[in-house]
Amino acid sequence: MARMKFLCDAERCIECNACVTACKNEHEIPWGINRRRVVTINDGKPGERSISVACMHCSDAPCMAVCPVDCFYQTEEGVVLHSKDLCIGCGYCFYACPFGAPQYPQVGNFGSRGKMDKCTFCAGGPEADKSDNEFKKYGRNRLAEGKLPLCAEMCSTKALLAGDGDVVSDIYRERVVSRGFGSGAWGWGRAYPGQGA
Amino acid sequence: MRIISITLAIAGSLALAGCQDTDRPLSYNKGVYGGKADTKLKAAQVQTLRHRGMQQAQ
């Protein structure tokens, strides 16, 4: 088993935001928190591209490196998770993350910052699998139910892929070959000059 | 006198026992996750996830 990965196919994403809605609904995420967002560049202009962004479950995660209380851990499947019992809500991980994945709910008055919340790859947290405690703190544990993250599973254009990195890359590679003009991904033309978009 | 000192020793030890913060790890090792251990996925669950991932190709 390779590491679990997300991949958003910019050529297929239609900016419907269904992944964002599905995530919020599945995990009953409070107002003001978005574990996933759709980012669009060149909006309304030629070359417009959208991708869905959440925690990318980095192999060498910067959030883990900077956490002063070491509340992060990686599962055997490469999913980056954290313990809200240990988190002190300092915000270091937010500064370190290149994707802006960590979120902080407002607790109490005066906008004080709560414990960090982020995408769990629908893998819950360190509490007992499928327990009430796990759901309240981290959301649903779909992996334990044999299901992949809902954002990817319900994507209508199959732009957002999730799962075993080998499987995801096989699917994407087939698409790129059948398109015949490159991947359509941001930066493809700069990385591979003269080989398509 | 002896009874008083024994009583005080028992009361003191009970009072100190109540000071323990059991919710948080008390020792800190830099770079080591000190929270609750997560449940690992079973081989069958991992296989199911792999098959489910392949369905995204359709």
Side-chain angles (χ1 to χ4, degrees), chain A residues 15-190:
Chain A
E15 199 194 347
C16 68
N17 276 284
C19 48
V20 177
T21 310
C23 176
K24 281 193 79 105
N25 190 55
E26 181 76 346
H27 303 298
E28 294 181 14
I29 296 167
W31 284 101
I33 301 288
N34 273 321
R35 290 184 178 181
R36 177 167 287 284
R37 273 165 294 178
V38 176
V39 179
T40 303
I41 57 160
N42 297 327
D43 202 0
K45 296 173 190 164
E48 178 180 326
R49 285 279 188 282
S50 296
I51 53 165
S52 177
V53 185
C55 172
M56 299 303 281
H57 300 278
C58 308
S59 304
D60 185 9
C63 53
M64 285 184 80
V66 300
C67 181
V69 291
D70 289 310
C71 74
F72 290 91
Y73 63 97
Q74 267 183 331
T75 66
E76 281 185 5
E77 292 75 38
V79 179
V80 177
L81 298 174
H82 74 296
S83 165
K84 286 193 181 179
D85 295 335
L86 301 184
C87 176
I88 54 172
C90 67
Y92 272 28
C93 51
F94 179 73
Y95 289 107
C97 177
F99 304 101
Q103 305 279 302
Y104 300 87
Q106 182 182 323
V107 289
N109 298 325
F110 311 114
S112 51
R113 193 162 49 192
K115 310 263 184 184
M116 190 273 276
D117 188 88
K118 74 169 191 71
C119 161
T120 62
F121 207 89
C122 291
E127 303 290 337
D129 280 359
K130 302 178 200 172
S131 64
D132 282 348
N133 242 355
E134 184 183 49
F135 180 72
K136 277 179 199 158
K137 284 185 184 171
Y138 308 99
R140 201 170 302 281
N141 190 341
R142 289 175 58 87
L143 292 197
E145 296 169 8
K147 299 170 187 167
L148 289 170
L150 186 65
C151 51
E153 286 213 333
M154 52 64 59
C155 180
S156 58
T157 59
K158 292 279 176 282
L160 186 59
L161 302 170
D164 186 330
D166 288 342
V167 173
V168 168
S169 62
D170 280 349
I171 295 169
Y172 192 60
R173 204 175 295 121
E174 264 184 43
R175 285 185 190 176
V176 170
V177 170
S178 64
R179 280 174 197 158
F181 61 85
S183 76
W186 290 351
W188 179 275
R190 201 165 50 178

Side-chain angles (χ1 to χ4, degrees), chain A residues 1-2 164 166-167, chain B residues 45-54:
Chain A
M1 177 85 182
D164 186 330
D166 288 342
V167 173
Chain B
Q45 285 173 310
V46 171
Q47 203 56 30
T48 310
L49 290 170
R50 197 176 161 83
H51 284 299
R52 210 164 165 106
M54 287 172 188

